[in-house]
Amino acid sequence: MRKHTTAVALTAASALALSACGTAEPGDTGGDGGDGGGETITIGIKYDQPGLGLQKGADYVGFDVDVAKYVADKLGYGEDQIEFVEAISANRETMLQNGDVDMIFATYSITDERKEVVEFAGPYFVAGQDLLVAADDDSITGPEDLEGKNLCSVTGSTSAERIKDEYAEGVELVERPGYSECVSALASGAVDAVTTDDIILAGLAAAQEDPTAFKVVGNPFSEENYGVGLPQGSTEQCEEINAAITEMIDDGTWEELVATHTDGTGYTANEELNPPEPAACA
Ligand code: GLU
């Protein structure tokens, strides 16, 4: 990656170690951002979100993965120069701050709070927070029906925060590290509902052994603008990524990727909000 990114990522101690024994830092993996050269780029994704970021053997598949590959290609990195690593919701800011990753494509909503510690390119997609419930459960049609219910969400997500801030009073919020754990809790009856972005819930429901077991309520109650997480101070790179996102939308790739990765889930993107226009970089 760019030299300034590397410099920010290195602490004095690790810089010493680097010069002493020539070992690279985990985040010190990229090329020059122009042509990639022979170097690699480390990209954080989700591993357990079908349709978005999913580990399949040695492979990674999903919309976020393909958007990451498209953007990396525009920055000069071929597929074999990308190292994907898992970035669970709670670890994203820290991974960027520590230089463990060069960028993150992981259903990562742009928020003012996060912008205090990391930078975002994009958005490249807009989702909305919704609820996943058992297919035969008609008692929950929106967040106001959660009074007295057990609800699962993921630590470090906007979904858990919103429930805590706006609806927590009568809700028993159960937090798990990943959404697949939440779906297991729903399947076992330990919770009554799972909450996060509608596109994530649709992908999880469709990937179950019985894809008719759960349903997405279909009453979204937020706007989740998916951004590309970058270390603070990556303005130049943010601009390059925004240009790549615009190109991806203009050349038809975006639409194709959304269609491919939501196929069979019953999910349709909110057409008023999608495709979004990337915002100005900080
Ligand atoms: N988009 C939300 C967030 O960034 C929820 C999904 C997630 O946890 O990745 O927090």
Side-chain angles (χ1 to χ4, degrees), residues 46 49 89 92 106-109 114 154 156-159 179 196-197 200 224 226:
K46 291 294 179 70
Q49 294 181 193
S89 296
R92 292 175 294 199
T107 58
Y108 198 10
S109 297
R114 289 173 179 165
V154 165
S157 67
T158 52
S159 328
Y179 295 101
T196 189
D197 307 337
I200 301 175
E224 304 297 322
Y226 288 179

PDB file of all heavy atoms in Angstrom, residues 46 49 89 92 106-109 114 154 156-159 179 196-197 200 224 226, ligand 1:
ATOM      1  N   LYS A  46     -16.281  -9.975   5.415  1.00  0.00           N
ATOM      2  CA  LYS A  46     -16.975 -10.909   6.297  1.00  0.00           C
ATOM      3  C   LYS A  46     -16.770 -12.320   5.729  1.00  0.00           C
ATOM      4  O   LYS A  46     -16.608 -12.492   4.522  1.00  0.00           O
ATOM      5  CB  LYS A  46     -18.465 -10.576   6.351  1.00  0.00           C
ATOM      6  CG  LYS A  46     -18.793  -9.261   7.062  1.00  0.00           C
ATOM      7  CD  LYS A  46     -18.456  -9.322   8.528  1.00  0.00           C
ATOM      8  CE  LYS A  46     -18.754  -8.021   9.242  1.00  0.00           C
ATOM      9  NZ  LYS A  46     -20.143  -7.704   9.396  1.00  0.00           N
ATOM     10  N   GLN A  49     -21.350 -14.210   5.820  1.00  0.00           N
ATOM     11  CA  GLN A  49     -22.550 -13.535   5.340  1.00  0.00           C
ATOM     12  C   GLN A  49     -22.822 -13.919   3.874  1.00  0.00           C
ATOM     13  O   GLN A  49     -22.322 -13.282   2.946  1.00  0.00           O
ATOM     14  CB  GLN A  49     -22.394 -12.015   5.510  1.00  0.00           C
ATOM     15  CG  GLN A  49     -22.327 -11.599   6.971  1.00  0.00           C
ATOM     16  CD  GLN A  49     -22.192 -10.103   7.186  1.00  0.00           C
ATOM     17  OE1 GLN A  49     -21.893  -9.680   8.297  1.00  0.00           O
ATOM     18  NE2 GLN A  49     -22.389  -9.293   6.159  1.00  0.00           N
ATOM     19  N   SER A  89     -17.588  -7.538  12.715  1.00  0.00           N
ATOM     20  CA  SER A  89     -18.098  -6.175  12.944  1.00  0.00           C
ATOM     21  C   SER A  89     -17.335  -5.430  14.037  1.00  0.00           C
ATOM     22  O   SER A  89     -16.958  -4.272  13.849  1.00  0.00           O
ATOM     23  CB  SER A  89     -19.587  -6.232  13.298  1.00  0.00           C
ATOM     24  OG  SER A  89     -20.320  -6.741  12.203  1.00  0.00           O
ATOM     25  N   ARG A  92     -13.538  -3.962  13.082  1.00  0.00           N
ATOM     26  CA  ARG A  92     -13.201  -3.228  11.862  1.00  0.00           C
ATOM     27  C   ARG A  92     -12.362  -1.970  12.097  1.00  0.00           C
ATOM     28  O   ARG A  92     -11.318  -1.791  11.441  1.00  0.00           O
ATOM     29  CB  ARG A  92     -14.485  -2.921  11.077  1.00  0.00           C
ATOM     30  CG  ARG A  92     -15.109  -4.189  10.515  1.00  0.00           C
ATOM     31  CD  ARG A  92     -16.440  -3.936   9.839  1.00  0.00           C
ATOM     32  NE  ARG A  92     -17.471  -3.487  10.768  1.00  0.00           N
ATOM     33  CZ  ARG A  92     -18.775  -3.556  10.514  1.00  0.00           C
ATOM     34  NH1 ARG A  92     -19.219  -4.028   9.357  1.00  0.00           N
ATOM     35  NH2 ARG A  92     -19.655  -3.135  11.410  1.00  0.00           N
ATOM     36  N   ALA A 106     -17.059  -4.766   4.080  1.00  0.00           N
ATOM     37  CA  ALA A 106     -17.703  -5.739   4.962  1.00  0.00           C
ATOM     38  C   ALA A 106     -19.024  -5.200   5.505  1.00  0.00           C
ATOM     39  O   ALA A 106     -19.172  -5.019   6.708  1.00  0.00           O
ATOM     40  CB  ALA A 106     -16.750  -6.097   6.106  1.00  0.00           C
ATOM     41  N   THR A 107     -19.971  -4.942   4.600  1.00  0.00           N
ATOM     42  CA  THR A 107     -21.284  -4.382   4.985  1.00  0.00           C
ATOM     43  C   THR A 107     -21.088  -3.294   6.037  1.00  0.00           C
ATOM     44  O   THR A 107     -21.798  -3.235   7.041  1.00  0.00           O
ATOM     45  CB  THR A 107     -22.248  -5.485   5.497  1.00  0.00           C
ATOM     46  OG1 THR A 107     -21.663  -6.180   6.622  1.00  0.00           O
ATOM     47  CG2 THR A 107     -22.589  -6.480   4.406  1.00  0.00           C
ATOM     48  N   TYR A 108     -20.112  -2.418   5.758  1.00  0.00           N
ATOM     49  CA  TYR A 108     -19.589  -1.479   6.748  1.00  0.00           C
ATOM     50  C   TYR A 108     -20.270  -0.121   6.574  1.00  0.00           C
ATOM     51  O   TYR A 108     -19.938   0.645   5.658  1.00  0.00           O
ATOM     52  CB  TYR A 108     -18.082  -1.363   6.495  1.00  0.00           C
ATOM     53  CG  TYR A 108     -17.238  -0.791   7.602  1.00  0.00           C
ATOM     54  CD1 TYR A 108     -17.752  -0.563   8.876  1.00  0.00           C
ATOM     55  CD2 TYR A 108     -15.894  -0.505   7.378  1.00  0.00           C
ATOM     56  CE1 TYR A 108     -16.950  -0.062   9.879  1.00  0.00           C
ATOM     57  CE2 TYR A 108     -15.074  -0.007   8.373  1.00  0.00           C
ATOM     58  CZ  TYR A 108     -15.609   0.214   9.619  1.00  0.00           C
ATOM     59  OH  TYR A 108     -14.804   0.713  10.613  1.00  0.00           O
ATOM     60  N   SER A 109     -21.230   0.167   7.434  1.00  0.00           N
ATOM     61  CA  SER A 109     -21.979   1.421   7.304  1.00  0.00           C
ATOM     62  C   SER A 109     -21.123   2.633   7.645  1.00  0.00           C
ATOM     63  O   SER A 109     -20.396   2.636   8.647  1.00  0.00           O
ATOM     64  CB  SER A 109     -23.187   1.414   8.243  1.00  0.00           C
ATOM     65  OG  SER A 109     -24.077   0.391   7.885  1.00  0.00           O
ATOM     66  N   ARG A 114     -17.921   6.478  13.464  1.00  0.00           N
ATOM     67  CA  ARG A 114     -16.796   5.725  12.877  1.00  0.00           C
ATOM     68  C   ARG A 114     -15.851   6.659  12.135  1.00  0.00           C
ATOM     69  O   ARG A 114     -14.640   6.425  12.096  1.00  0.00           O
ATOM     70  CB  ARG A 114     -17.337   4.635  11.941  1.00  0.00           C
ATOM     71  CG  ARG A 114     -18.013   3.497  12.705  1.00  0.00           C
ATOM     72  CD  ARG A 114     -18.700   2.513  11.796  1.00  0.00           C
ATOM     73  NE  ARG A 114     -19.315   1.440  12.569  1.00  0.00           N
ATOM     74  CZ  ARG A 114     -20.207   0.592  12.092  1.00  0.00           C
ATOM     75  NH1 ARG A 114     -20.606   0.676  10.829  1.00  0.00           N
ATOM     76  NH2 ARG A 114     -20.718  -0.346  12.853  1.00  0.00           N
ATOM     77  N   VAL A 154     -25.275  -8.256  16.413  1.00  0.00           N
ATOM     78  CA  VAL A 154     -23.834  -8.480  16.486  1.00  0.00           C
ATOM     79  C   VAL A 154     -23.118  -7.320  17.165  1.00  0.00           C
ATOM     80  O   VAL A 154     -23.380  -6.150  16.860  1.00  0.00           O
ATOM     81  CB  VAL A 154     -23.298  -8.761  15.060  1.00  0.00           C
ATOM     82  CG1 VAL A 154     -21.795  -8.641  15.005  1.00  0.00           C
ATOM     83  CG2 VAL A 154     -23.743 -10.150  14.604  1.00  0.00           C
ATOM     84  N   GLY A 156     -20.745  -4.455  18.038  1.00  0.00           N
ATOM     85  CA  GLY A 156     -19.996  -3.520  17.188  1.00  0.00           C
ATOM     86  C   GLY A 156     -20.737  -3.132  15.921  1.00  0.00           C
ATOM     87  O   GLY A 156     -20.197  -2.408  15.096  1.00  0.00           O
ATOM     88  N   SER A 157     -21.981  -3.589  15.768  1.00  0.00           N
ATOM     89  CA  SER A 157     -22.750  -3.230  14.574  1.00  0.00           C
ATOM     90  C   SER A 157     -23.633  -2.019  14.861  1.00  0.00           C
ATOM     91  O   SER A 157     -23.972  -1.750  16.017  1.00  0.00           O
ATOM     92  CB  SER A 157     -23.627  -4.403  14.130  1.00  0.00           C
ATOM     93  OG  SER A 157     -24.641  -4.647  15.091  1.00  0.00           O
ATOM     94  N   THR A 158     -24.034  -1.335  13.801  1.00  0.00           N
ATOM     95  CA  THR A 158     -24.986  -0.235  13.960  1.00  0.00           C
ATOM     96  C   THR A 158     -26.332  -0.801  14.404  1.00  0.00           C
ATOM     97  O   THR A 158     -27.104  -0.121  15.077  1.00  0.00           O
ATOM     98  CB  THR A 158     -25.193   0.520  12.628  1.00  0.00           C
ATOM     99  OG1 THR A 158     -25.525  -0.424  11.602  1.00  0.00           O
ATOM    100  CG2 THR A 158     -23.947   1.284  12.223  1.00  0.00           C
ATOM    101  N   SER A 159     -26.609  -2.049  14.002  1.00  0.00           N
ATOM    102  CA  SER A 159     -27.898  -2.677  14.324  1.00  0.00           C
ATOM    103  C   SER A 159     -28.072  -2.816  15.839  1.00  0.00           C
ATOM    104  O   SER A 159     -29.124  -2.467  16.385  1.00  0.00           O
ATOM    105  CB  SER A 159     -27.976  -4.058  13.674  1.00  0.00           C
ATOM    106  OG  SER A 159     -27.272  -4.109  12.464  1.00  0.00           O
ATOM    107  N   TYR A 179     -23.304 -12.875  12.514  1.00  0.00           N
ATOM    108  CA  TYR A 179     -24.728 -13.080  12.247  1.00  0.00           C
ATOM    109  C   TYR A 179     -25.100 -14.549  12.146  1.00  0.00           C
ATOM    110  O   TYR A 179     -26.238 -14.929  12.440  1.00  0.00           O
ATOM    111  CB  TYR A 179     -25.153 -12.298  11.000  1.00  0.00           C
ATOM    112  CG  TYR A 179     -25.012 -10.815  11.243  1.00  0.00           C
ATOM    113  CD1 TYR A 179     -23.933 -10.101  10.747  1.00  0.00           C
ATOM    114  CD2 TYR A 179     -25.917 -10.161  12.058  1.00  0.00           C
ATOM    115  CE1 TYR A 179     -23.772  -8.752  11.034  1.00  0.00           C
ATOM    116  CE2 TYR A 179     -25.774  -8.816  12.353  1.00  0.00           C
ATOM    117  CZ  TYR A 179     -24.698  -8.119  11.838  1.00  0.00           C
ATOM    118  OH  TYR A 179     -24.541  -6.791  12.143  1.00  0.00           O
ATOM    119  N   THR A 196     -30.439  -6.995  11.674  1.00  0.00           N
ATOM    120  CA  THR A 196     -29.339  -6.312  11.001  1.00  0.00           C
ATOM    121  C   THR A 196     -29.862  -5.843   9.645  1.00  0.00           C
ATOM    122  O   THR A 196     -31.086  -5.785   9.435  1.00  0.00           O
ATOM    123  CB  THR A 196     -28.059  -7.165  10.872  1.00  0.00           C
ATOM    124  OG1 THR A 196     -27.016  -6.304  10.381  1.00  0.00           O
ATOM    125  CG2 THR A 196     -28.215  -8.340   9.918  1.00  0.00           C
ATOM    126  N   ASP A 197     -28.959  -5.568   8.710  1.00  0.00           N
ATOM    127  CA  ASP A 197     -29.379  -5.042   7.410  1.00  0.00           C
ATOM    128  C   ASP A 197     -30.179  -6.082   6.629  1.00  0.00           C
ATOM    129  O   ASP A 197     -29.846  -7.278   6.645  1.00  0.00           O
ATOM    130  CB  ASP A 197     -28.143  -4.636   6.607  1.00  0.00           C
ATOM    131  CG  ASP A 197     -27.252  -3.698   7.392  1.00  0.00           C
ATOM    132  OD1 ASP A 197     -27.754  -3.038   8.320  1.00  0.00           O
ATOM    133  OD2 ASP A 197     -26.042  -3.636   7.096  1.00  0.00           O
ATOM    134  N   ILE A 200     -28.382  -8.604   4.378  1.00  0.00           N
ATOM    135  CA  ILE A 200     -27.667  -9.654   5.121  1.00  0.00           C
ATOM    136  C   ILE A 200     -28.661 -10.730   5.561  1.00  0.00           C
ATOM    137  O   ILE A 200     -28.421 -11.936   5.401  1.00  0.00           O
ATOM    138  CB  ILE A 200     -26.952  -9.069   6.369  1.00  0.00           C
ATOM    139  CG1 ILE A 200     -25.943  -7.994   5.970  1.00  0.00           C
ATOM    140  CG2 ILE A 200     -26.304 -10.173   7.194  1.00  0.00           C
ATOM    141  CD1 ILE A 200     -25.289  -7.289   7.158  1.00  0.00           C
ATOM    142  N   GLU A 224     -28.538   2.224   5.741  1.00  0.00           N
ATOM    143  CA  GLU A 224     -27.161   1.782   5.981  1.00  0.00           C
ATOM    144  C   GLU A 224     -26.362   1.978   4.699  1.00  0.00           C
ATOM    145  O   GLU A 224     -26.571   1.272   3.712  1.00  0.00           O
ATOM    146  CB  GLU A 224     -27.136   0.310   6.395  1.00  0.00           C
ATOM    147  CG  GLU A 224     -27.998  -0.026   7.613  1.00  0.00           C
ATOM    148  CD  GLU A 224     -27.556   0.666   8.898  1.00  0.00           C
ATOM    149  OE1 GLU A 224     -26.331   0.805   9.111  1.00  0.00           O
ATOM    150  OE2 GLU A 224     -28.435   1.075   9.678  1.00  0.00           O
ATOM    151  N   TYR A 226     -23.222   1.539   2.775  1.00  0.00           N
ATOM    152  CA  TYR A 226     -22.010   0.720   2.837  1.00  0.00           C
ATOM    153  C   TYR A 226     -20.822   1.466   2.217  1.00  0.00           C
ATOM    154  O   TYR A 226     -20.842   1.835   1.040  1.00  0.00           O
ATOM    155  CB  TYR A 226     -22.210  -0.591   2.072  1.00  0.00           C
ATOM    156  CG  TYR A 226     -23.128  -1.579   2.759  1.00  0.00           C
ATOM    157  CD1 TYR A 226     -23.409  -2.803   2.172  1.00  0.00           C
ATOM    158  CD2 TYR A 226     -23.703  -1.302   4.000  1.00  0.00           C
ATOM    159  CE1 TYR A 226     -24.249  -3.728   2.793  1.00  0.00           C
ATOM    160  CE2 TYR A 226     -24.546  -2.224   4.631  1.00  0.00           C
ATOM    161  CZ  TYR A 226     -24.815  -3.422   4.023  1.00  0.00           C
ATOM    162  OH  TYR A 226     -25.640  -4.339   4.634  1.00  0.00           O
TER     163      TYR A 226
HETATM  164  N1  GLU B   1     -24.108  -2.292   8.322  1.00  0.00           N
HETATM  165  C1  GLU B   1     -24.125  -2.444   9.740  1.00  0.00           C
HETATM  166  C2  GLU B   1     -22.794  -2.069  10.359  1.00  0.00           C
HETATM  167  O1  GLU B   1     -21.881  -1.686   9.677  1.00  0.00           O
HETATM  168  C3  GLU B   1     -24.538  -3.839  10.175  1.00  0.00           C
HETATM  169  C4  GLU B   1     -23.869  -4.955   9.453  1.00  0.00           C
HETATM  170  C5  GLU B   1     -22.536  -5.356  10.032  1.00  0.00           C
HETATM  171  O2  GLU B   1     -22.407  -5.494  11.264  1.00  0.00           O
HETATM  172  O3  GLU B   1     -21.619  -5.566   9.242  1.00  0.00           O
HETATM  173  O4  GLU B   1     -22.637  -2.117  11.530  1.00  0.00           O
END
